[in-house]
Amino acid sequence: MKPNKKEVGLRIKEIRKKLGYSMETFGEIVSQSPRSSVNSWEKGVSIPRKDKLEKIAQLGNTTSQQILYGDFESYAQELIKTEANYTLPQEFESAMIKAIKEELPDIDIGDDTKILKLMNYMKENMNPTSEEDYLEYELFNEHESIFVAFGNRKEKALAFVYTDRENEIFHFAPTPFSDMSLSRFYVFLPNPELEHYIVKELADFEMGAHPIIVVYDLEQTENKIRVAHFEYNQMDKRYEPIVDIDKIKKIGVYSPFVKELKKEERYRHS
Protein backbone atom coordinates (compact mmCIF):
# COMPACT_ATOMS: atom_id res chain seq x y z
CA MET A 1 0.00 0.00 0.00
CA LYS A 2 1.29 3.44 -0.91
CA PRO A 3 1.74 5.93 1.93
CA ASN A 4 -0.70 8.81 2.26
CA LYS A 5 1.51 11.86 1.59
CA LYS A 6 -0.63 14.23 3.61
CA GLU A 7 -0.59 11.93 6.64
CA VAL A 8 3.20 11.53 6.28
CA GLY A 9 3.52 15.31 6.21
CA LEU A 10 1.50 15.70 9.39
CA ARG A 11 3.67 13.15 11.19
CA ILE A 12 6.86 14.93 10.07
CA LYS A 13 5.44 18.27 11.18
CA GLU A 14 4.54 16.80 14.56
CA ILE A 15 8.13 15.58 15.05
CA ARG A 16 9.53 18.99 14.12
CA LYS A 17 7.11 20.83 16.41
CA LYS A 18 7.89 18.55 19.37
CA LEU A 19 11.60 19.22 18.90
CA GLY A 20 10.91 22.97 18.75
CA TYR A 21 12.75 23.49 15.46
CA SER A 22 11.93 25.97 12.76
CA MET A 23 11.68 24.65 9.21
CA GLU A 24 15.11 26.13 8.44
CA THR A 25 16.81 24.48 11.44
CA PHE A 26 15.01 21.18 10.90
CA GLY A 27 16.04 21.15 7.23
CA GLU A 28 19.70 21.82 8.11
CA ILE A 29 19.76 18.95 10.60
CA VAL A 30 18.13 16.59 8.11
CA SER A 31 20.98 16.37 5.60
CA GLN A 32 21.19 20.09 4.84
CA SER A 33 17.72 20.18 3.30
CA PRO A 34 16.36 23.64 2.45
CA ARG A 35 13.26 25.11 4.07
CA SER A 36 11.31 24.59 0.85
CA SER A 37 11.88 20.82 1.05
CA VAL A 38 10.61 20.69 4.63
CA ASN A 39 7.58 22.73 3.59
CA SER A 40 6.88 20.30 0.73
CA TRP A 41 7.12 17.31 3.08
CA GLU A 42 4.78 18.79 5.63
CA LYS A 43 2.21 19.81 3.03
CA GLY A 44 2.21 16.31 1.57
CA VAL A 45 3.64 17.40 -1.77
CA SER A 46 6.58 15.01 -1.55
CA ILE A 47 8.10 12.38 0.72
CA PRO A 48 11.72 12.56 1.92
CA ARG A 49 14.27 10.20 0.40
CA LYS A 50 15.07 7.05 2.37
CA ASP A 51 18.21 8.48 4.02
CA LYS A 52 16.44 11.68 5.07
CA LEU A 53 13.42 9.75 6.29
CA GLU A 54 15.66 7.61 8.48
CA LYS A 55 17.25 10.75 9.92
CA ILE A 56 13.84 12.21 10.72
CA ALA A 57 12.84 8.92 12.36
CA GLN A 58 15.96 9.07 14.56
CA LEU A 59 15.14 12.63 15.59
CA GLY A 60 11.58 11.64 16.42
CA ASN A 61 12.57 8.45 18.24
CA THR A 62 10.42 6.40 15.88
CA THR A 63 10.82 4.36 12.68
CA SER A 64 10.61 5.18 9.00
CA GLN A 65 7.66 2.80 8.68
CA GLN A 66 5.70 4.62 11.37
CA ILE A 67 6.35 7.96 9.70
CA LEU A 68 5.12 6.54 6.41
CA TYR A 69 2.12 4.65 7.73
CA GLY A 70 1.48 5.48 11.38
CA ASP A 71 0.90 2.73 13.94
CA PHE A 72 -0.31 -0.75 12.98
CA GLU A 73 -3.98 0.02 13.63
CA SER A 74 -3.87 3.16 11.48
CA TYR A 75 -2.12 1.21 8.72
CA ALA A 76 -4.64 -1.64 8.82
CA GLN A 77 -7.58 0.79 8.79
CA GLU A 78 -6.21 2.61 5.75
CA LEU A 79 -5.52 -0.73 4.04
CA ILE A 80 -9.11 -1.88 4.56
CA LYS A 81 -10.42 1.48 3.40
CA THR A 82 -8.46 1.41 0.14
CA GLU A 83 -8.17 -2.30 -0.68
CA ALA A 84 -11.12 -4.17 0.84
CA ASN A 85 -14.50 -4.57 -0.83
CA TYR A 86 -16.45 -3.92 2.37
CA THR A 87 -16.87 -1.50 5.25
CA LEU A 88 -17.19 -2.27 8.95
CA PRO A 89 -18.46 -0.37 12.00
CA GLN A 90 -15.45 1.48 13.42
CA GLU A 91 -15.58 -0.15 16.87
CA PHE A 92 -15.85 -3.64 15.36
CA GLU A 93 -13.01 -2.91 12.95
CA SER A 94 -10.71 -1.59 15.71
CA ALA A 95 -11.47 -4.59 17.92
CA MET A 96 -10.62 -6.99 15.08
CA ILE A 97 -7.33 -5.23 14.30
CA LYS A 98 -6.28 -5.29 17.97
CA ALA A 99 -7.20 -8.97 18.22
CA ILE A 100 -5.05 -9.79 15.19
CA LYS A 101 -2.05 -7.94 16.62
CA GLU A 102 -2.43 -9.57 20.03
CA GLU A 103 -2.68 -13.07 18.56
CA LEU A 104 0.02 -12.51 15.92
CA PRO A 105 2.51 -9.99 17.33
CA ASP A 106 4.90 -10.57 14.41
CA ILE A 107 2.40 -9.33 11.84
CA ASP A 108 3.39 -5.83 10.82
CA ILE A 109 3.05 -2.95 8.40
CA GLY A 110 3.52 -4.24 4.85
CA ASP A 111 1.89 -7.66 5.44
CA ASP A 112 -1.04 -6.52 3.30
CA THR A 113 -2.31 -9.87 2.02
CA LYS A 114 -2.11 -11.50 5.44
CA ILE A 115 -3.89 -8.58 7.14
CA LEU A 116 -6.69 -8.52 4.56
CA LYS A 117 -7.17 -12.30 4.72
CA LEU A 118 -7.40 -12.27 8.52
CA MET A 119 -9.76 -9.30 8.58
CA ASN A 120 -11.97 -10.91 5.96
CA TYR A 121 -12.03 -14.19 7.88
CA MET A 122 -12.94 -12.47 11.14
CA LYS A 123 -15.58 -10.31 9.46
CA GLU A 124 -17.26 -13.36 7.98
CA ASN A 125 -17.05 -15.63 11.00
CA MET A 126 -17.26 -13.33 14.02
CA ASN A 127 -19.88 -10.87 12.84
CA PRO A 128 -22.96 -11.77 14.94
CA THR A 129 -26.14 -12.93 13.24
CA SER A 130 -29.03 -10.54 12.79
CA GLU A 131 -32.43 -10.38 11.12
CA GLU A 132 -30.64 -9.27 7.94
CA ASP A 133 -29.07 -12.73 7.69
CA TYR A 134 -32.43 -14.33 6.90
CA LEU A 135 -32.58 -15.07 3.18
CA GLU A 136 -35.86 -14.63 1.34
CA TYR A 137 -36.35 -15.69 -2.26
CA GLU A 138 -38.16 -14.18 -5.23
CA LEU A 139 -38.55 -15.56 -8.74
CA PHE A 140 -36.12 -13.98 -11.22
CA ASN A 141 -36.35 -16.17 -14.32
CA GLU A 142 -39.12 -18.75 -14.44
CA HIS A 143 -37.79 -20.42 -17.60
CA GLU A 144 -34.35 -21.00 -16.05
CA SER A 145 -35.71 -21.70 -12.53
CA ILE A 146 -33.57 -18.92 -11.11
CA PHE A 147 -34.50 -16.95 -8.00
CA VAL A 148 -32.94 -13.97 -6.23
CA ALA A 149 -32.02 -14.20 -2.53
CA PHE A 150 -32.54 -11.04 -0.50
CA GLY A 151 -31.64 -10.12 3.05
CA ASN A 152 -34.55 -9.68 5.44
CA ARG A 153 -35.09 -5.99 4.58
CA LYS A 154 -34.84 -6.67 0.84
CA GLU A 155 -32.62 -3.63 0.35
CA LYS A 156 -30.02 -5.57 -1.58
CA ALA A 157 -30.03 -8.68 -3.77
CA LEU A 158 -27.34 -10.93 -2.29
CA ALA A 159 -27.38 -14.02 -4.48
CA PHE A 160 -28.88 -15.78 -7.47
CA VAL A 161 -30.27 -19.23 -6.74
CA TYR A 162 -30.63 -21.91 -9.41
CA THR A 163 -33.14 -24.59 -8.42
CA ASP A 164 -32.29 -27.99 -9.89
CA ARG A 165 -35.60 -29.66 -9.05
CA GLU A 166 -34.81 -32.94 -10.78
CA ASN A 167 -31.78 -33.58 -8.54
CA GLU A 168 -33.01 -31.56 -5.53
CA ILE A 169 -30.04 -29.19 -5.52
CA PHE A 170 -29.87 -25.47 -4.80
CA HIS A 171 -27.00 -23.49 -6.34
CA PHE A 172 -26.14 -20.14 -4.69
CA ALA A 173 -23.95 -17.53 -6.42
CA PRO A 174 -23.44 -13.91 -5.35
CA THR A 175 -24.93 -11.11 -7.40
CA PRO A 176 -22.25 -8.91 -9.03
CA PHE A 177 -20.09 -7.28 -6.34
CA SER A 178 -22.26 -8.69 -3.57
CA ASP A 179 -20.59 -9.30 -0.20
CA MET A 180 -22.26 -12.71 0.11
CA SER A 181 -19.54 -15.08 1.26
CA LEU A 182 -18.96 -18.82 1.14
CA SER A 183 -17.39 -18.54 4.61
CA ARG A 184 -20.72 -17.34 5.98
CA PHE A 185 -22.39 -20.52 4.68
CA TYR A 186 -19.69 -22.57 6.41
CA VAL A 187 -20.75 -20.88 9.65
CA PHE A 188 -24.51 -21.14 9.20
CA LEU A 189 -25.22 -24.47 7.49
CA PRO A 190 -23.34 -26.87 9.84
CA ASN A 191 -24.95 -25.21 12.88
CA PRO A 192 -28.49 -26.52 13.55
CA GLU A 193 -29.26 -23.33 15.47
CA LEU A 194 -28.31 -21.11 12.52
CA GLU A 195 -29.14 -23.11 9.39
CA HIS A 196 -32.68 -21.70 9.32
CA TYR A 197 -31.22 -18.34 8.22
CA ILE A 198 -30.45 -20.04 4.89
CA VAL A 199 -32.94 -22.88 4.55
CA LYS A 200 -36.15 -21.68 6.24
CA GLU A 201 -37.68 -20.24 3.07
CA LEU A 202 -36.33 -23.08 0.91
CA ALA A 203 -39.06 -25.34 2.27
CA ASP A 204 -41.51 -23.52 -0.02
CA PHE A 205 -39.73 -24.98 -3.05
CA GLU A 206 -40.90 -28.52 -2.18
CA MET A 207 -37.59 -30.16 -3.02
CA GLY A 208 -37.27 -32.30 0.08
CA ALA A 209 -36.58 -31.31 3.68
CA HIS A 210 -32.83 -30.92 3.24
CA PRO A 211 -31.68 -30.60 -0.38
CA ILE A 212 -28.05 -30.46 -1.43
CA ILE A 213 -26.68 -26.91 -1.45
CA VAL A 214 -23.84 -25.72 -3.69
CA VAL A 215 -22.31 -22.32 -2.95
CA TYR A 216 -20.09 -20.23 -5.22
CA ASP A 217 -18.24 -17.03 -4.38
CA LEU A 218 -15.29 -14.85 -5.32
CA GLU A 219 -12.83 -14.69 -2.42
CA GLN A 220 -12.34 -11.00 -1.62
CA THR A 221 -8.61 -10.86 -0.90
CA GLU A 222 -7.19 -12.92 -3.77
CA ASN A 223 -10.24 -12.76 -6.07
CA LYS A 224 -10.34 -16.52 -6.61
CA ILE A 225 -13.49 -18.48 -7.41
CA ARG A 226 -14.49 -20.92 -4.66
CA VAL A 227 -17.15 -23.63 -4.74
CA ALA A 228 -18.40 -25.75 -1.84
CA HIS A 229 -20.98 -28.57 -1.76
CA PHE A 230 -23.09 -29.24 1.36
CA GLU A 231 -25.36 -32.18 2.19
CA TYR A 232 -27.48 -32.98 5.22
CA ASN A 233 -26.18 -35.60 7.64
CA GLN A 234 -29.28 -37.37 8.93
CA MET A 235 -27.38 -38.98 11.81
CA ASP A 236 -25.88 -35.73 13.14
CA LYS A 237 -28.91 -33.63 12.09
CA ARG A 238 -26.88 -30.95 10.37
CA TYR A 239 -25.43 -29.86 7.04
CA GLU A 240 -21.80 -30.78 6.37
CA PRO A 241 -19.37 -29.90 3.54
CA ILE A 242 -18.96 -32.74 1.05
CA VAL A 243 -15.33 -33.85 0.80
CA ASP A 244 -15.77 -36.96 -1.35
CA ILE A 245 -14.33 -35.92 -4.74
CA ASP A 246 -16.39 -38.48 -6.69
CA LYS A 247 -19.60 -37.24 -5.06
CA ILE A 248 -18.66 -33.63 -5.79
CA LYS A 249 -18.00 -34.50 -9.45
CA LYS A 250 -21.32 -36.30 -9.67
CA ILE A 251 -23.21 -33.28 -8.29
CA GLY A 252 -21.19 -30.93 -10.49
CA VAL A 253 -21.61 -27.18 -10.79
CA TYR A 254 -24.00 -24.83 -12.55
CA SER A 255 -21.77 -23.58 -15.37
CA PRO A 256 -23.53 -20.21 -15.96
CA PHE A 257 -22.68 -19.20 -12.38
CA VAL A 258 -19.03 -20.16 -12.85
CA LYS A 259 -18.94 -18.27 -16.15
CA GLU A 260 -20.29 -15.07 -14.56
CA LEU A 261 -17.84 -15.28 -11.66
CA LYS A 262 -14.97 -15.68 -14.10
CA LYS A 263 -16.06 -12.44 -15.77
CA GLU A 264 -16.04 -10.62 -12.44
CA GLU A 265 -12.70 -12.21 -11.54
CA ARG A 266 -11.15 -10.82 -14.75
CA TYR A 267 -12.72 -7.41 -14.09
CA ARG A 268 -11.28 -7.22 -10.56
CA HIS A 269 -7.82 -8.20 -11.81
CA SER A 270 -7.89 -5.59 -14.61
Side-chain angles (χ1 to χ4, degrees):
M1 182 177 71
K2 292 182 179 179
N4 184 315
K5 290 182 180 180
K6 290 194 178 296
E7 293 295 326
V8 174
L10 290 174
R11 285 189 279 270
I12 291 174
K13 185 175 182 178
E14 184 179 2
I15 291 172
R16 178 178 68 80
K17 289 284 189 180
K18 281 185 177 180
L19 293 171
Y21 292 142
S22 65
M23 285 189 181
E24 289 84 358
T25 303
F26 190 70
E28 289 174 6
I29 295 172
V30 181
S31 304
Q32 301 295 314
S33 299
R35 182 187 187 283
S36 58
S37 293
V38 178
N39 189 44
S40 293
W41 302 338
E42 294 187 1
K43 286 187 175 181
V45 176
S46 62
I47 292 177
R49 294 199 315 259
K50 182 179 178 181
D51 58 332
K52 296 184 180 183
L53 195 62
E54 290 175 351
K55 180 66 174 180
I56 295 170
Q58 285 181 341
L59 291 170
N61 193 28
T62 184
T63 66
S64 299
Q65 287 286 76
Q66 286 186 321
I67 293 176
L68 289 173
Y69 300 107
D71 58 22
F72 180 77
E73 182 172 348
S74 298
Y75 179 83
Q77 287 174 337
E78 185 66 21
L79 181 66
I80 294 163
K81 178 181 175 182
T82 57
E83 300 294 334
N85 299 315
Y86 56 82
T87 57
L88 295 169
Q90 187 173 354
E91 290 184 3
F92 187 48
E93 181 182 89
S94 295
M96 288 167 63
I97 293 170
K98 288 177 181 176
I100 287 173
K101 191 63 176 173
E102 287 173 2
E103 291 296 319
L104 298 169
D106 291 336
I107 197 169
D108 206 350
I109 291 167
D111 295 329
D112 293 10
T113 300
K114 189 182 293 185
I115 293 169
L116 289 169
K117 277 187 174 180
L118 288 167
M119 287 295 292
N120 194 47
Y121 175 83
M122 294 176 76
K123 173 183 75 74
E124 293 169 345
N125 294 283
M126 294 178 66
N127 195 18
T129 57
S130 68
E131 290 295 314
E132 182 60 21
D133 287 305
Y134 278 109
L135 293 184
E136 297 182 1
Y137 307 93
E138 290 187 1
L139 184 63
F140 177 74
N141 185 320
E142 184 174 5
H143 178 69
E144 296 291 339
S145 297
I146 294 178
F147 291 73
V148 175
F150 291 89
N152 184 253
R153 289 177 295 188
K154 295 189 177 181
E155 294 177 351
K156 185 178 181 181
L158 300 176
F160 290 115
V161 185
Y162 168 61
T163 56
D164 181 353
R165 296 182 183 277
E166 182 180 351
N167 297 297
E168 296 187 348
I169 302 171
F170 285 100
H171 295 260
F172 284 79
T175 54
F177 303 100
S178 163
D179 56 3
M180 191 206 80
S181 168
L182 172 58
S183 296
R184 200 70 166 155
F185 278 76
Y186 270 112
V187 172
F188 281 57
L189 286 176
N191 189 331
E193 295 180 0
L194 298 178
E195 69 168 41
H196 62 282
Y197 283 101
I198 306 295
V199 304
K200 180 182 177 182
E201 301 292 332
L202 293 182
D204 296 338
F205 291 84
E206 299 180 350
M207 286 171 57
H210 293 96
I212 288 172
I213 293 176
V214 183
V215 186
Y216 311 70
D217 81 344
L218 196 57
E219 198 276 331
Q220 294 189 22
T221 304
E222 296 185 347
N223 288 331
K224 291 182 178 179
I225 295 173
R226 303 184 296 183
V227 182
H229 298 64
F230 296 86
E231 67 178 346
Y232 195 74
N233 184 319
Q234 295 290 349
M235 184 177 296
D236 294 335
K237 305 296 182 185
R238 67 174 190 171
Y239 270 97
E240 294 179 348
I242 300 174
V243 295
D244 186 315
I245 300 298
D246 291 333
K247 186 179 288 188
I248 290 173
K249 288 181 178 179
K250 186 176 180 180
I251 295 169
V253 297
Y254 184 54
S255 56
F257 283 174
V258 175
K259 184 178 179 180
E260 288 304 310
L261 282 173
K262 284 183 177 179
K263 288 181 183 178
E264 186 173 337
E265 180 185 35
R266 288 194 295 271
Y267 176 82
R268 289 189 180 183
H269 280 297
S270 63

